[in-house]
Amino acid sequence: MTAGAGGRAHRYLIIGAGPGGLQLSYFLQRAGADYLTLEREAGPGGFFRRYPRHRRLISLNKVHTGQKDPEIALRWDWNSLLNDEPELMFPRYSQDYFPQADDLVRYLTDFQRGHRLNVRFSTPVDRIEKTGDRFAVHAGGEVFHAECVIVAAGWGGPYVPDIPGIELARGYEDMPVSGEDFTDRRVLIIGKGNSAFETAQALLGHAAVVHLASPSPVRLAWTSKHPGHVRGQYGALLDSYWFKTLHGVLECDVDRIRRDGDHFEVAITYTLADGEQALLEYDDVLRCTGFTMDTSLFDDSCLPERVPGGRLPAIRPDFRSVNVDGLYFAGTLMQARDFKRASSAFIDGFRYNLRTMTALLRERYEGVPLDRRTLPADPDGLTTAMLERVNYSSALWTQFEYLCDVYVVDETTGEVTRYEDLPEDYAVERFGGHPLYFTVTLRWGRRDHPDVFAIRRHPTPERADESAFLHPVVRAWRHREQTGEQHLLEDLMARWLDPVRHVRPLRDFLAARLASGEAHPA
């Protein structure tokens, strides 16, 4: 793109230099793209300079895996950004299984400097406008123009529920973090996510009573398989609840908070007790209800639609706003399409989304075709290719049930073209004109087991669809309709290579589909 006055016009403008903005900057820079990243703060990773409040991350940093291949090791490295420099991987910065947030900030700072990413710091964005097919971004007293704007600004601020008297509660963003500040006090924490449990953990040995309250029951990560649900390291409060040590977890609506002298009266309605109501007394009320996106940046000309609840932007399968063409979202703001399923809310997930987004942006704005590989339509060869990928790819492993490999059968030549790491809904939208194609993903089994540590297994290939653990699933599609599905048996070490349990069932499935004539309709 021809630069405007002062060099303030670019093809791509990225808003925010957190991990999402830096990852996208890296991919665009490596591709030689014309981009600029704007960051309001003086350094990268502003969110992690403040949060989590108690400074311990919930993202795993499993340094010792016994794996020599860096691609496979990424499956258990939840903090590194994808790049080609071994020195700029997060395990070089911390050996802790649950690392400190300050180590992540230090890593992000070195990542930006080491790759000399084109970031302008101390340049807060005030307003984004759109006229025709161009954006004008007002930031730092200047106006930047772009064909494409990617918002990677992360959460804009706390989510404050609509509860009468909620202004009396202290927010997670500014509450004291020392448990001693709550010694012998009765504390209500509104919320049951990780920030609520993180806060409660610090209070357990000090507060007289700690109650966590929200309308829905606690969602445990080991049941849901979602890393954003409550993690095992916060189990002490749940232990104390059932051991009758005064602390508790309440399923209720908080109807009202009222100050009464030196304490608070909180009216609640239990959601699992036939509407029973209670008036409870606390010394402190804390709000730990999560975060929401900031929409104040957007002019009416490019105000993005949001998903129900308003916390996230609504996006298309290609990460583009559903109602503003040319406006994309990156980082934690790109989680709407796999909300509470895969890991698009976290570094270990969105780093792969952003690699895919880069390819889609370059195809759209620069005419660069997506990477692909042509294979013969041979059941044996396709079986080998599919199993090699699911046994190796960290993207399919981390972005289970979301990213997939696509194998498109050419109805004229019979050749198969493979595209890697596309959102499955995008693949169906893009290749829905073909009479035969396959998607390959990793998936969990059903989620409604009474006890996830006592699951009865049936280790025969014919019952692979009953597998509870992560396992490969190959789907056959005719246009936009799914016509078949093949599960491969789960494996303790995630090695799907057994001739009887994995190779033969997949080969037979592919052979039947290729021979069925679906690719060559009359």
Side-chain angles (χ1 to χ4, degrees):
M1 175 180 291
T2 303
R8 294 190 295 272
H10 299 271
R11 173 161 281 141
Y12 309 106
L13 273 179
I14 303 170
I15 311 301
L22 293 183
Q23 182 69 91
L24 183 58
S25 299
Y26 169 80
F27 285 133
L28 289 174
Q29 181 160 297
R30 188 176 65 172
D34 174 24
Y35 82 97
L36 175 64
T37 300
L38 304 176
E39 167 57 46
R40 69 167 52 249
E41 301 200 20
F47 182 86
F48 292 100
R49 296 174 189 269
R50 295 183 291 275
Y51 304 108
R53 292 296 310 283
H54 294 85
R55 310 309 292 149
R56 181 74 68 178
L57 299 174
I58 61 172
S59 49
L60 303 187
N61 180 44
K62 187 165 174 51
V63 177
H64 305 289
T65 65
Q67 295 288 340
K68 303 301 182 185
D69 192 306
E71 171 69 14
I72 296 177
L74 277 168
R75 294 180 172 189
W76 306 288
D77 170 2
W78 290 13
N79 299 282
S80 288
L81 299 180
L82 302 179
N83 74 111
D84 298 324
E85 179 51 64
E87 294 299 318
L88 288 173
M89 300 298 286
F90 186 77
R92 302 271 184 169
Y93 288 74
S94 174
Q95 296 283 303
D96 292 342
Y97 190 66
F98 293 109
Q100 293 288 330
D102 293 336
D103 290 328
L104 181 59
V105 172
R106 185 164 54 92
Y107 168 68
L108 296 175
T109 300
D110 287 354
F111 188 92
Q112 187 272 326
R113 290 174 179 168
H115 291 297
R116 299 179 181 176
L117 301 178
N118 191 21
V119 181
R120 282 192 52 167
F121 293 108
S122 302
T123 309
V125 173
D126 301 313
R127 189 170 76 257
I128 304 172
E129 301 172 331
K130 189 180 184 193
T131 303
D133 59 357
R134 304 266 296 186
F135 291 89
V137 177
H138 300 256
E142 300 181 66
V143 180
F144 300 85
H145 299 275
E147 292 179 62
C148 174
V149 168
I150 308 102
V151 177
W155 296 119
Y159 169 71
V160 181
D162 186 16
I163 298 171
I166 191 64
E167 70 279 359
L168 299 173
R170 299 198 68 171
Y172 176 71
E173 65 276 9
D174 59 10
M175 66 179 61
V177 295
S178 172
E180 286 84 352
D181 289 335
F182 298 91
T183 298
D184 210 31
R185 296 177 71 81
R186 298 158 299 174
V187 182
L188 173 66
I189 299 174
I190 301 175
K192 290 203 201 100
N194 280 298
S195 63
F197 275 84
E198 167 205 336
T199 300
Q201 188 96 334
L203 305 186
L204 286 184
H206 304 280
V209 172
V210 177
H211 286 168
L212 272 66
S214 75
S216 301
V218 174
R219 292 286 286 159
L220 300 171
W222 60 71
T223 299
S224 69
K225 287 66 163 199
H226 177 61
H229 285 141
V230 176
R231 306 290 289 281
Q233 67 264 39
Y234 298 137
L237 182 131
L238 298 176
D239 283 351
S240 70
Y241 179 25
W242 289 109
F243 292 160
K244 304 179 292 298
T245 55
L246 299 179
H247 307 312
V249 179
L250 313 180
E251 286 69 52
C252 66
D253 288 308
V254 177
D255 300 320
R256 186 190 73 249
I257 304 168
R258 187 176 73 86
R259 184 184 293 278
D260 184 13
D262 61 354
H263 65 272
F264 298 94
E265 285 187 348
V266 180
I268 67 169
T269 300
Y270 289 102
T271 55
L272 299 179
D274 299 325
E276 178 189 6
Q277 294 184 319
L279 187 63
L280 304 177
E281 186 176 293
Y282 299 97
D283 299 304
D284 300 281
V285 179
L286 307 180
R287 169 178 44 78
C288 298
T289 48
F291 298 89
T292 188
M293 71 175 293
D294 179 11
T295 59
S296 66
L297 303 177
F298 301 99
D299 180 78
D300 289 344
S301 61
C302 58
L303 182 65
E305 290 184 13
R306 286 169 284 171
V307 298
R311 296 201 198 188
L312 291 165
I315 58 174
R316 299 173 185 266
D318 63 353
F319 315 112
R320 184 175 21 144
S321 167
V322 298
N323 67 307
V324 182
D325 193 23
L327 178 64
Y328 291 75
F329 292 91
T332 196
L333 293 180
M334 66 195 316
Q335 64 178 287
R337 300 196 72 86
D338 68 330
F339 185 63
K340 294 188 178 179
R341 289 190 294 119
S343 292
S344 293
F346 308 98
I347 293 173
D348 66 313
F350 64 61
R351 62 191 179 190
Y352 302 106
N353 294 357
L354 293 173
R355 184 169 63 187
T356 297
M357 176 194 277
T358 301
L360 297 178
L361 291 176
R362 296 192 69 220
E363 182 180 53
R364 178 181 182 184
Y365 289 98
E366 302 170 47
V368 179
L370 289 184
D371 286 342
R372 65 198 74 188
R373 179 184 175 190
T374 302
L375 306 165
D378 166 61
D380 293 303
L382 285 181
T383 297
T384 298
M386 289 179 181
L387 291 180
E388 283 179 349
R389 281 282 297 161
V390 296
N391 280 284
Y392 182 68
S393 167
S394 58
L396 297 181
W397 173 274
T398 302
Q399 289 296 69
F400 53 84
E401 303 180 12
Y402 183 57
L403 295 184
C404 72
D405 288 348
V406 191
Y407 294 75
V408 182
V409 181
D410 189 299
E411 54 267 35
T412 303
T413 67
E415 291 183 325
V416 175
T417 302
R418 181 175 75 192
Y419 302 84
E420 298 177 359
D421 301 340
L422 297 179
E424 190 173 35
D425 54 0
Y426 174 80
V428 173
E429 179 182 272
R430 177 167 179 148
F431 301 111
H434 291 267
L436 179 60
Y437 56 100
F438 301 96
T439 57
V440 182
T441 59
L442 293 176
R443 296 183 180 276
W444 296 99
R446 64 185 179 90
R447 288 170 162 80
D448 58 348
H449 300 282
D451 184 346
V452 295
F453 299 108
I455 298 172
R456 183 169 295 279
R457 297 169 53 248
H458 303 284
T460 59
E462 294 75 21
R463 300 183 70 169
D465 62 319
E466 299 176 39
S467 293
F469 199 70
L470 202 65
H471 62 283
V473 178
V474 181
R475 289 174 168 172
W477 301 82
R478 177 178 173 80
H479 302 304
R480 289 178 170 80
E481 179 184 356
Q482 182 183 323
T483 60
E485 184 173 270
Q486 180 65 47
H487 293 247
L488 303 184
L489 269 175
E490 60 194 353
D491 183 83
L492 177 63
M493 302 306 295
R495 295 172 184 157
W496 300 286
L497 293 170
D498 186 271
V500 175
R501 295 157 65 94
H502 306 125
V503 177
R504 189 173 67 193
L506 178 55
R507 194 259 178 217
D508 291 348
F509 174 79
L510 295 174
R513 295 291 161 178
L514 292 170
S516 68
E518 289 184 42
H520 304 281

